[in-house]
C-alpha cells in the first residue's frame, strides 16, 4: 500500500498524534501585521540557529513572511490557550496612538521585534527570525528563519501544545 492509498481517516488520526508545540506566528510587511496559530514548528540547525515553520500557501501570514522576510514564534502558557482560537483567522492590528512601535492584534498587546515582526507581550517566550530559505512543499511552505533575537518572559510555565486544546491540524486536506 502506498501513502496515496491509505485511508484519509487513518492518516489524520496518526498525524494528529505527533507531539506539536502550539504558538502564535507574527508576521509583517510594511504597515500590515498578522498573527496566526501554528503547530508546525521545529529547530532545524544549531549553527546558525534556524527555526522552521510550516505555513499554508494561501494564508495571509504566508504573504507577509514572503514579502517582509521575517517572522516571530510566540510560545504560550499551556494554562492560557484562548489566544489560539482568536488567531485562526487573519488578525486586526490597532496601533497605539502614542507613536511607539506598540499596538494590538485582535486585542492582544504586541511590540516590534528587531525585524519589525510582532511579538506578544503576554508570550511566555518568543523568537524573532529572518528568513534564510523557503521551500514550497505542496499545500504549505517551510520557512527557515535564522534566530536574530529572543526572550523569555516566564521561565516556569509549561508551554502549550496541541494536546492542550481540542484543535486538530495535519493529515490530509479536508475538502
Amino acid at each position: 500500500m502506498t501513502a496515496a492509498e491509505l485511508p484519509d481517516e487513518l492518516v489524520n488520526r496518526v498525524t494528529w498524534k505527533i507531539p506539536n508545540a502550539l504558538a502564535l506566528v507574527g508576521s509583517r510587511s510594511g504597515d500590515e501585521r498578522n498573527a496566526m496559530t501554528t503547530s508546525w514548528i521545529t529547530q532545524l540547525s544549531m549553527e546558525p540557529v534556524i527555526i522552521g515553520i510550516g505555513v499554508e500557501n494561501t494564508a495571509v501570514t504566508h504573504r507577509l513572511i514572503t514579502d517582509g522576510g521575517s517572522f516571530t514564534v510566540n510560545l504560550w502558557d499551556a494554562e492560557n490557550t484562548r489566544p489560539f482560537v482568536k488567531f485562526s483567522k487573519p488578525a486586526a492590528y490597532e496601533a497605539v496612538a502614542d507613536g511607539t512601535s506598540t499596538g494590538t492584534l485582535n486585542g492582544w498587546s504586541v511590540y516590534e521585534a528587531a525585524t519589525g515582526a510582532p511579538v506578544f507581550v503576554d508570550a511566555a517566550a518568543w523568537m524573532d527570525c529572518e528568513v534564510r530559505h523557503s521551500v514550497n512543499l505542496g499545500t504549505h511552505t517551510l520557512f527557515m528563519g535564522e534566530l536574530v533575537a529572543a526572550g523569555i518572559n516566564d521561565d516556569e510555565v509549561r508551554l502549550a501544545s496541541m494536546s492542550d486544546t481540542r484543535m486538530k491540524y495535519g493529515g490530509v486536506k479536508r475538502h
Side-chain angles (χ1 to χ4, degrees):
M1 180 177 284
T2 67
E5 296 171 319
L6 292 172
D8 288 354
E9 181 185 352
L10 173 62
V11 173
N12 286 346
R13 286 179 51 221
V14 74
T15 58
W16 292 345
K17 292 191 180 301
I18 298 169
N20 287 5
L22 199 55
L24 295 178
V25 169
S27 57
R28 178 181 179 182
S29 178
D31 290 335
E32 188 177 4
R33 294 162 181 83
N34 195 48
M36 68 170 240
T37 299
T38 190
S39 61
W40 292 0
I41 314 157
T42 192
Q43 183 174 343
L44 299 168
S45 173
M46 294 170 124
E47 290 181 19
V49 175
I50 300 290
I51 305 300
I53 60 170
V55 179
E56 190 168 6
N57 293 339
T58 59
V60 170
T61 294
H62 185 284
R63 177 176 51 79
L64 295 180
I65 292 173
T66 299
D67 295 347
S70 65
F71 59 88
T72 61
V73 175
N74 297 267
L75 302 170
W76 223 261
D77 180 346
E79 296 298 316
N80 182 11
T81 59
R82 290 183 319 273
F84 299 121
V85 175
K86 288 193 124 214
F87 291 94
S88 58
K89 303 278 185 229
Y93 177 75
E94 246 183 77
V96 173
D98 64 7
T100 64
S101 58
T102 62
T104 62
L105 278 167
N106 287 356
W108 291 86
S109 295
V110 294
Y111 61 93
E112 290 180 11
T115 63
V119 169
F120 284 84
V121 170
D122 292 330
W126 57 272
M127 296 172 273
D128 185 21
C129 303
E130 289 181 351
V131 174
R132 297 294 183 241
H133 308 282
S134 63
V135 178
N136 183 330
L137 298 171
T139 57
H140 289 66
T141 295
L142 174 62
F143 288 102
M144 296 161 266
E146 184 173 351
L147 187 67
V148 296
I152 298 173
N153 297 324
D154 191 339
D155 211 9
E156 302 301 315
V157 298
R158 184 177 65 80
L159 297 175
S161 66
M162 284 293 274
S163 61
D164 295 314
T165 71
R166 288 192 230 162
M167 299 169 76
K168 304 278 188 235
Y169 195 76
V172 297
K173 193 169 179 83
R174 293 180 203 114
H175 302 281

